Amino acid sequence: QHDEDGGPDPEKHCGHGRGGMGEGVKRKEDKRFITGRGNYVDDIKKPGMLHCEIVRSPHAHARINEIDTSRAMEVDGVVAVLTAEDLAAHELATMPTLMDDTQDVLVNDKVKFQSQEVAAVIAEDRYVAKDGAEKVAVDYEVLDPVVTAEDALEADAPLIRDELDDQEDNHIFDWDVGDKEATDKVFEAADVTVSEQMEYQRLHPAPIETCGCVTDWDPGKDKITVHLTSQAPHAHRTLFSQVSGIPEHKVRIVSPDIGGGFGNKVPIYPGYVVAAAASVVLERPVKWMEERSENIQTTGFARDYDMTGELAATEDGIIKGVRTDVLANHGAYNAVAQPSKFPAGFFNIFTGSYDVEAAYGSLTAAFTNTAPGGVAYRCSFRVTEAVYLIERMVKVLAQELDMDPAEIRRRNFIQPEQFPYESATGWNYDSGDYEKALDKALEMADYDHYREEQRRRIENDADKLIGIGISSFTEVVGAGPGKSCDIAGIEMFDSADIRVNPTGNAVLRVGVQTQGQGHETTFAQIVAEELGMDVENITVEHGDTDTDPYGLGTYGSRSTPVAGAATAVAARKVRDKAKSIAANELEAAEEDIEWDRGSGEFHVAGAPDRSLTITEIAASAYMNHPGSEEPGLEAVNYYDPPEMTYPFGSYIVVVEVDRETGEVDFERFVAVDDCGNRINPMVIEGQIHGGLAQGIGTAMMEHVTYDENGNCTGGDFMNYLLPTANEIPNFETGYTVTPSPHHPIGAKGVGESPTVGSPPAIVNAVVDAMAHAGTTHVEMPMTPDRVWENLAEAGLER
Ligand code: MCN
Ligand code: CUN
């Protein structure tokens, strides 16, 4: 799949001034965003459009005896009130989750988490719908809830899923990976073993734009158009069709501008199904748009893993084995959004960047009376949890052995010549140079200086302690291959369709969908690079299933690894056709036509003055096409990647911990990333900044909390704290380039790396500040009171 000239090399070619690979082209989409011309789902208004408001349960676990909708129907402007019974008449009372569980669209019998959907009011405007919703009377019989996975697995725990015949308790599944026996042996024989328990708390992606849709059934065409906050429009079309029974060619999903997804917009939610059903029944467009608290309390959460980590090592810090055991809270339904064949996502990449002999992991998942979800939030399918586990454990081991955490990493890294590398849990890493990235980060951070300063502060019994944290993470992104990765049975390939117009500009359509990542710019850059066109002359379209080629969508940082590859391959097909047209025009044999990446021109070998530009060739393709060719200049590619890509990086965080208040200040925040060949350094920088901010949110403040009654006490922005510009330090970014050997342009994904890589670096830094007093772990989120408690436990408080 490699190009004859080895593909683009941003270091060498640097975009050729046409906006190709490696140029920091300004984002084309920003013109409309910064001038208020974006078009989000909630901006869509259709004639005769109705509004949907959902009635939600105040209880976490309750049987519904009766729903009285009569008073709601009396409200002026209320058009319909829907309950499970009404949906059942259309066989829409339940819907499948992405993990093959069955979720109530509206509660049929028993509420299983607080704020679950109980009824829907459809009205002429949103305020009337809200008034109507307040008048729906529901008679609940409150039941005992279970909130934590640990409690849910107790023998006497109330049974949550009593509607399922084969479900006798709250246990969902057990899963394990690796060689248990070999790992146990390594542990028995080891000089040193360490273990630590750590929680990756429940988080929410909390995109600025909440989830919603505008559904529009056209009885004249028997066709439904759904404007949807969707990260995966085609997959959603297939699922919509399967759930509703409307044939797929009569379903059009349009994902317009999306105000952030971060994984939250991968699943299908009951509100979508209700709005679609209402539109079909009432034959009018229906809008449903969540409020903030509905979004946080009911849509796909992330993490909620209780993990035990263990390492076995030699006295000089060579890691021999990794062991982990996890208790996973999946909420009331198994609605995890990840490839079907991976019950714990890609958590089993928990050996990280290290060459270890043996590894074993086990996991138990449980139902609880909390919102369903799992995986969403900039995580590459639970690599966040895996990276947190291994990077925290390496720090624990370094402390045990009194070794420098940079040195211990260096001793264990998979070496550049070991790639492609097969890990103890079966992953096939494509390429990496971990030490190079770490060295660069250490140098940028002035590591030795801060170690010295740390010592000095301890000696002087200073009020503020210094802590230095490192994380040398490996990510895995770019699912497929289709044979091992699918979403609800659909293989995870992706696609690109390039059409060059007679006047030499082009439209690229892709199967992935931007939510802010800048695809309208970066995907045009790939075409610019591969066809010698100017980036300004390429329009990128996506998000409309009626016109775009089928794709699996944007999540798991897969757009560049998969659709980016499809784009490059499609562009090269166009180039091949362009060559044959050029041969005809220039009256030369096709083998004698060369394409020059630098000038972007096609010329006869040995005669550079006999050349044509892509614009000239496009004109020929339509106006003067050779008899031997089909007219036109276009190509399609459906790309099934041979492997995933493995971006990596080293982050170094220096913190100052206030012994009096427990407050943590970031002194330095250095992030060195390697995502292979870089398409747009400015976009990458933006991705890194945003993801590091979310990593800080994770480590310092974000947490979806519940009380013992299952009340969500972290379900709004007063209680679910997001970092703002005030909490974000100055990030210092750097990079190395280790191309992916199997990707057509050598690129790896990058969108999730900073959120995956940074939380352990931050926690390691805070722990490091107290390590001299024996602290080995501080739980996230590291709020000042929690840090102060840890200081007090270590006798360091002031
Ligand atoms: N890029 C590049 N060179 C590379 C790799 C990537 O220039 N070698 C560019 C890409 O062209 C793209 C951007 O960086 O414009 C991110 O690319 P990629 O890593 O392929 O990730 P995706 O486009 O598939 O985005 C998904 C990823 C995920 S899974 C989450 S979650 C997340 C993230 O992106 N959600 C985001 N970043 C986000 N950024 C914004 N603004 N909004 C979200 O919802
Ligand atoms: Cu895991 S969140 Mo992103 O894959 O959409």
Side-chain angles (χ1 to χ4, degrees):
Q1 277 168 347
H2 265 279
D3 214 13
E4 68 269 31
D5 65 353
D9 176 352
E11 311 274 18
K12 273 195 226 127
H13 298 277
C14 209
H16 329 288
R18 290 188 300 272
M21 289 280 291
E23 277 193 60
V25 177
K26 283 198 178 155
R27 302 202 328 167
K28 289 160 168 262
E29 44 267 78
D30 285 345
K31 183 173 181 195
R32 69 174 186 279
F33 292 144
I34 63 177
T35 56
R37 287 175 172 83
N39 185 38
Y40 299 89
V41 169
D42 205 20
D43 292 323
I44 290 159
K45 296 180 178 68
K46 297 198 172 194
M49 186 173 79
L50 297 168
H51 295 260
C52 172
E53 184 70 24
I54 291 181
V55 178
R56 296 178 181 277
S57 167
H59 310 292
H61 200 193
R63 209 163 287 286
I64 293 182
N65 292 325
E66 205 197 331
I67 303 176
D68 181 359
T69 61
S70 57
R71 286 191 55 224
M73 281 303 289
E74 284 164 16
V75 175
D76 200 20
V78 169
V79 177
V81 183
L82 302 177
T83 62
E85 225 171 281
D86 304 308
L87 294 180
H90 296 87
E91 288 179 35
L92 286 175
T94 60
M95 59 177 213
T97 69
L98 293 177
M99 270 293 136
D100 233 9
D101 195 359
T102 302
Q103 178 171 353
D104 285 351
V105 173
L106 294 173
V107 175
N108 180 29
D109 172 40
K110 198 176 84 168
V111 169
K112 299 180 184 78
F113 62 94
Q114 189 186 46
S115 295
Q116 192 174 0
E117 300 80 1
V118 169
V121 177
I122 318 291
E124 296 291 345
D125 75 35
R126 185 159 196 183
Y127 302 97
V128 173
K130 255 193 174 318
D131 289 348
E134 275 172 19
K135 298 233 152 49
V136 174
V138 186
D139 178 15
Y140 294 102
E141 179 189 330
V142 179
L143 306 169
D144 282 341
V146 271
V147 179
T148 66
E150 201 180 349
D151 289 348
L153 295 176
E154 292 285 333
D156 58 350
L159 180 62
I160 298 168
R161 301 297 301 277
D162 54 357
E163 85 280 14
L164 301 175
D165 293 338
D166 52 354
Q167 193 73 38
E168 279 159 13
D169 51 26
N170 298 317
H171 175 264
I172 311 176
F173 63 81
D174 290 315
W175 162 89
D176 71 343
V177 63
D179 188 334
K180 183 170 188 319
E181 223 172 285
T183 310
D184 289 348
K185 260 198 206 133
V186 161
F187 270 80
E188 274 158 34
D191 300 342
V192 192
T193 63
V194 284
S195 106
E196 191 69 58
Q197 177 140 17
M198 58 193 93
E199 197 186 318
Y200 213 129
Q201 77 273 24
R202 182 177 286 220
L203 301 174
H204 198 280
I208 296 293
E209 179 202 35
T210 57
C211 298
C213 61
V214 176
T215 58
D216 188 2
W217 170 252
D218 180 342
K221 291 183 179 161
D222 292 326
K223 178 169 180 173
I224 191 162
T225 299
V226 183
H227 283 79
L228 191 67
T229 50
S230 171
Q231 292 182 225
H234 280 97
H236 284 165
R237 182 185 71 188
T238 304
L239 294 171
F240 246 87
S241 166
Q242 285 169 349
V243 171
S244 67
I246 302 169
E248 196 167 353
H249 66 301
K250 299 284 189 183
V251 179
R252 177 185 178 199
I253 306 285
V254 184
S255 196
D257 287 330
I258 299 294
F262 306 113
N264 188 229
K265 291 163 181 168
V266 177
I268 287 197
Y269 297 119
Y272 302 158
V273 180
V274 170
S279 180
V280 172
V281 173
L282 301 168
E283 299 193 347
R284 286 172 68 177
V286 176
K287 178 184 280 184
W288 170 70
M289 203 72 220
E290 284 172 344
E291 288 185 1
R292 178 60 56 193
S293 52
E294 295 181 288
N295 178 256
I296 300 180
Q297 290 173 19
T298 69
T299 62
F301 70 85
R303 329 286 195 250
D304 217 337
Y305 262 28
D306 242 331
M307 312 187 279
T308 309
E310 290 176 278
L311 294 186
T314 65
E315 266 166 15
D316 21 306
I318 305 297
I319 303 168
K320 292 290 190 183
V322 186
R323 214 158 41 189
T324 177
D325 185 43
V326 179
L327 192 52
N329 183 341
H330 280 219
Y333 298 94
N334 192 16
V336 172
Q338 67 198 9
S340 315
K341 293 177 191 112
F342 294 83
F346 299 164
F347 178 73
N348 54 343
I349 193 156
F350 59 75
T351 54
S353 309
Y354 311 104
D355 185 18
V356 299
E357 217 171 286
Y360 178 72
S362 54
L363 179 142
T364 299
F367 290 122
T368 62
N369 289 117
T370 62
V375 149
Y377 193 7
R378 223 165 179 169
C379 60
S380 303
F381 312 121
R382 302 217 187 256
V383 186
T384 31
E385 289 91 324
V387 163
Y388 187 66
L389 182 100
I390 184 71
E391 290 305 309
R392 276 297 298 119
M393 288 315 298
V394 170
K395 165 72 176 151
V396 171
L397 178 66
Q399 265 173 246
E400 173 74 22
L401 295 172
D402 202 14
M403 271 181 74
D404 183 282
E407 178 54 28
I408 201 167
R409 284 178 167 81
R410 215 187 290 285
R411 286 189 191 179
N412 288 287
F413 280 146
I414 302 162
Q415 295 301 309
E417 63 278 7
Q418 285 176 278
F419 293 92
Y421 172 85
E422 195 183 328
S423 78
T425 54
W427 291 94
N428 216 326
Y429 294 28
D430 60 346
S431 63
D433 192 342
Y434 302 144
E435 195 163 344
K436 191 168 161 190
L438 176 61
D439 284 344
K440 184 152 189 175
L442 290 168
E443 195 191 308
M444 282 172 68
D446 206 353
Y447 185 71
D448 295 338
H449 161 78
Y450 285 102
R451 280 278 170 234
E452 194 43 52
E453 177 64 15
Q454 178 178 47
R455 257 191 299 275
R456 206 184 57 80
R457 300 246 185 136
I458 294 170
E459 272 164 27
N460 297 346
D461 196 26
D463 289 342
K464 292 185 177 179
L465 296 164
I466 290 283
I468 309 151
I470 304 178
S471 162
S472 292
F473 65 94
T474 290
E475 251 267 72
V476 51
V477 304
K483 63 179 187 306
S484 54
C485 294
D486 68 274
I487 287 282
I490 311 161
E491 290 187 7
M492 292 172 76
F493 58 84
D494 231 286
S495 59
D497 170 340
I498 300 172
R499 299 183 190 176
V500 183
N501 298 326
T503 49
N505 40 41
V507 176
L508 165 71
R509 295 195 170 90
V510 283
V512 292
Q513 159 64 23
T514 191
Q515 305 115 37
Q517 294 90 342
H519 293 179
E520 287 167 47
T521 308
T522 52
F523 277 73
Q525 288 184 259
I526 299 174
V527 177
E529 172 71 33
E530 295 297 329
L531 285 180
M533 291 173 70
D534 193 298
V535 71
E536 286 310 316
N537 293 334
I538 301 145
T539 296
V540 177
E541 288 191 0
H542 47 205
D544 185 339
T545 59
D546 265 10
T547 52
D548 301 325
Y550 202 105
L552 270 286
T554 290
Y555 44 81
S557 303
R558 63 186 296 282
S559 302
T560 303
V562 195
T567 301
V569 173
R572 288 171 194 174
K573 284 190 190 177
V574 169
R575 205 164 74 201
D576 285 344
K577 180 163 184 190
K579 267 188 187 169
S580 115
I581 295 171
N584 188 69
E585 284 282 312
L586 297 170
E587 295 175 342
E590 204 178 316
E591 315 77 82
D592 291 339
I593 300 294
E594 284 174 354
W595 179 70
D596 182 62
R597 193 175 282 277
S599 69
E601 289 183 353
F602 297 78
H603 61 83
V604 180
D609 52 323
R610 285 172 67 202
S611 69
L612 290 172
T613 64
I614 189 78
T615 306
E616 289 164 328
I617 292 171
S620 290
Y622 291 89
M623 299 169 193
N624 179 30
H625 76 90
S628 55
E629 290 274 0
E630 274 180 54
L633 190 55
E634 61 182 72
V636 182
N637 180 253
Y638 283 78
Y639 190 86
D640 184 4
E643 255 303 333
M644 284 193 249
T645 68
Y646 295 73
F648 59 93
S650 268
Y651 295 167
I652 299 184
V653 174
V654 181
V655 295
E656 204 174 49
V657 177
D658 189 326
R659 295 167 65 183
E660 202 171 353
T661 61
E663 223 164 316
V664 175
D665 262 346
F666 292 99
E667 283 288 301
R668 301 288 299 277
F669 209 120
V670 171
V672 172
D673 270 276
D674 191 319
C675 57
N677 284 341
R678 293 146 50 92
I679 302 164
N680 185 324
M682 183 202 66
V683 167
I684 292 172
E685 178 97 350
Q687 287 291 307
I688 302 293
H689 280 207
L692 293 178
Q694 288 177 311
I696 290 175
T698 299
M700 308 307 293
M701 50 186 79
E702 297 183 35
H703 193 183
V704 181
T705 47
Y706 290 91
D707 71 10
E708 69 279 8
N709 295 319
N711 294 311
C712 184
T713 50
D716 54 47
F717 277 166
M718 294 295 284
N719 295 292
Y720 189 84
L721 302 182
L722 290 188
T724 67
N726 285 330
E727 288 82 24
I728 302 304
N730 180 38
F731 298 128
E732 299 161 74
T733 58
Y735 68 96
T736 57
V737 175
T738 312
S740 169
H742 63 72
H743 189 281
I745 54 171
K748 303 180 179 187
V750 77
E752 294 169 309
S753 293
T755 318
V756 168
S758 60
I762 301 167
V763 177
N764 285 348
V766 174
V767 171
D768 191 62
M770 311 180 210
H772 62 289
T775 303
T776 57
H777 184 58
V778 177
E779 291 281 24
M780 300 187 292
M782 298 184 296
T783 51
D785 59 327
R786 184 171 268 170
V787 172
W788 195 88
E789 272 168 27
N790 279 275
L791 284 165
E793 233 165 77
L796 290 171
E797 85 282 15
R798 272 279 141 92

